[in-house]
Amino acid sequence: MDSVPEKWSWKHSFLYLSFIYAILYLFHIHIAHKLLLGNEPVRVKRSPDLPLRFRHDGTFKILQVADMHYGNGLMTRCRDVLETEFEHCTDLNTTRFLERMIRAERPDFIAFTGDNIFGPSSADAAESLFGAFRPAIESGLPWAAVLGNHDQESTMTREELMSFISLMDYSVSQTYPSAEDSFFHAKGSMVTNIDGFGNYNIEVHGAQSSHLANSSILNLFFLDSGDRAVVQGIRTYGWIKESQLKWLEGVARRFQVTR
Ligand SMILES: *[C@@H]1O[C@H](CO)[C@@H](O)[C@H](O)[C@H]1NC(C)=O
Ligand SMILES: *[C@@H]1O[C@H](CO)[C@@H](O)[C@H](O)[C@H]1NC(C)=O
C-alpha cells in the first residue's frame, strides 16, 4: 500500500530538481553575466584616420561651429527667435541644423570654437557635451573643440571638460599639447606648464601618395582663450597668455622651411 505514494514522491522530487536545475541554467545563460561587475566589454574610443590629409584635388574643408550654447536638449528652448517660433524650437534644432550642414558640405574636419555648451542651463555637462557634439560623432568625421567662457559654468572644470572631450569618439582634441611639439620635453609626455586647457596643434599632411604625403603642410593651432577674469577690479574676459604664445612660436619655428 505504501509503495505507490513513495514512487510518486520520488517522481516529484525528480521533477522538482529538474525544475530547479532548469531555472539555474536559464539564470546562468541569460542573467548572471549581466550581474557581474566589471565584465562589460571594454569600450575603446573610436579614432579617425590620422594624420589628417588634404584631398587629391588640393582642398581641405573645415566646418567651424561656434557658440552652440547647448543645454539640456529637448528641454532647453531657443533664444532670440520670434515669439511664434519659441514653442517649437529647442536645442534639437541646433542638432538638426548641424546635421544638415555636415551633409551639405561634407567637410574634412569640424572645429568647435567655444561656448559649445551653456553651463547655466546645463544640468549635467557630460550629457550636454554628448548632445552638442553628437552630429560630429555620428558623422565619423574628425573633429576638435576648444572652450569658451560658458562651457565650464556647469558640473565640470575646464580641465575635466577638455579631458572628456578628448576622449569622445572621432575627437582629435587634446587637453595639453603633446611633447613632440616641444623642444624641451621627452617624447610621449605632455606639456603641462602653459596656461589653460585645450592648447594643441593639429597637423594636416599632403594628399596620400603625393610628394608631401609625409609632411605637415597646414597646422591648426587651438588655444585656450580663458574664462572670465578680473583686472584691476574690472570684470572682463580672459586672454591668451605669454606661456601659450611661447609654445606656439616654438612649434611654428620647427615647421619653418630651412633653406
Ligand atoms: C525647429 O524644429 C522644428 C521641428 O523640425 C520645426 O518645426 C521648427 O520650425 C524649428 N524652429 C526653427 C526656429 O527653426
Ligand atoms: C611616406 O612614408 C611612407 C611610409 O613610411 C613611404 O612609403 C612613402 O614613400 C613616403 N612618401 C614620401 C613622399 O616621402
Side-chain angles (χ1 to χ4, degrees):
M1 283 297 281
D2 278 340
S3 69
V4 169
E6 242 171 49
K7 203 174 168 193
W8 272 108
S9 82
W10 182 86
K11 267 191 179 168
H12 275 138
S13 302
F14 180 76
L15 280 174
Y16 183 68
L17 283 175
S18 301
F19 178 70
I20 296 283
Y21 179 78
I23 294 283
L24 284 174
Y25 179 78
L26 287 174
F27 176 79
H28 178 73
I29 295 299
H30 295 291
I31 299 168
H33 66 280
K34 289 181 186 155
L35 299 179
L36 290 177
L37 290 179
N39 201 30
E40 313 88 44
V42 178
R43 175 101 161 46
V44 178
K45 171 189 165 175
R46 278 176 217 144
S47 291
D49 285 342
L50 292 175
L52 303 182
R53 290 186 180 283
F54 275 74
R55 298 182 200 184
H56 284 105
D57 66 3
T59 63
F60 184 79
K61 192 191 269 190
I62 300 172
L63 174 63
Q64 184 186 353
V65 184
D67 294 273
M68 283 189 288
H69 283 214
Y70 211 91
N72 301 316
L74 190 59
M75 305 306 292
T76 303
R77 289 289 166 84
C78 299
R79 284 199 187 174
D80 308 319
V81 291
L82 298 176
E83 225 172 281
T84 52
E85 294 172 328
F86 184 76
E87 195 57 39
H88 300 287
C89 189
T90 69
D91 280 343
L92 297 192
N93 288 64
T94 306
T95 301
R96 286 189 285 266
F97 177 68
L98 185 50
E99 286 169 350
R100 283 204 304 278
M101 290 300 288
I102 293 171
R103 256 200 317 273
E105 295 295 336
R106 296 311 306 167
D108 298 289
F109 179 70
I110 309 172
F112 294 97
T113 51
D115 284 358
N116 310 293
I117 64 172
F118 188 66
S121 45
S122 161
D124 175 351
E127 280 294 321
S128 298
L129 290 172
F130 274 121
F133 299 131
R134 180 164 291 122
I137 291 169
E138 284 177 354
S139 74
L141 295 167
W143 62 276
V146 281
L147 305 176
N149 63 299
H150 284 307
D151 289 278
Q152 90 288 342
E153 289 165 348
S154 170
T155 55
M156 285 193 202
T157 64
R158 293 176 83 73
E159 187 174 18
E160 287 164 349
L161 286 164
M162 276 315 303
S163 304
F164 194 87
I165 290 170
S166 65
L167 290 172
M168 296 176 91
D169 285 343
Y170 304 108
S171 162
V172 296
S173 316
Q174 292 167 225
T175 312
Y176 302 105
S178 53
E180 275 93 273
D181 286 341
S182 165
F183 184 73
F184 300 104
H185 293 75
K187 230 180 152 62
S189 66
M190 294 178 306
V191 181
T192 53
N193 60 348
I194 60 175
D195 288 274
F197 305 100
N199 300 296
Y200 52 99
N201 162 39
I202 292 176
E203 296 184 3
V204 186
H205 286 206
Q208 195 71 266
S209 67
S210 73
H211 72 287
L212 291 169
N214 300 330
S215 314
S216 175
I217 52 177
L218 172 67
N219 284 68
L220 302 171
F221 287 103
F222 288 81
L223 294 166
D224 183 4
S225 61
D227 183 10
R228 294 173 194 273
V230 177
V231 180
Q232 292 168 352
I234 295 165
R235 284 163 52 86
T236 178
Y237 292 104
W239 58 90
I240 291 165
K241 307 279 169 56
E242 205 59 39
S243 64
Q244 294 167 279
L245 278 183
K246 282 230 171 64
W247 165 76
L248 189 151
E249 282 165 2
V251 178
R253 217 171 294 127
R254 189 160 69 74
F255 284 102
Q256 271 161 24
V257 179
T258 44
R259 286 154 217 271

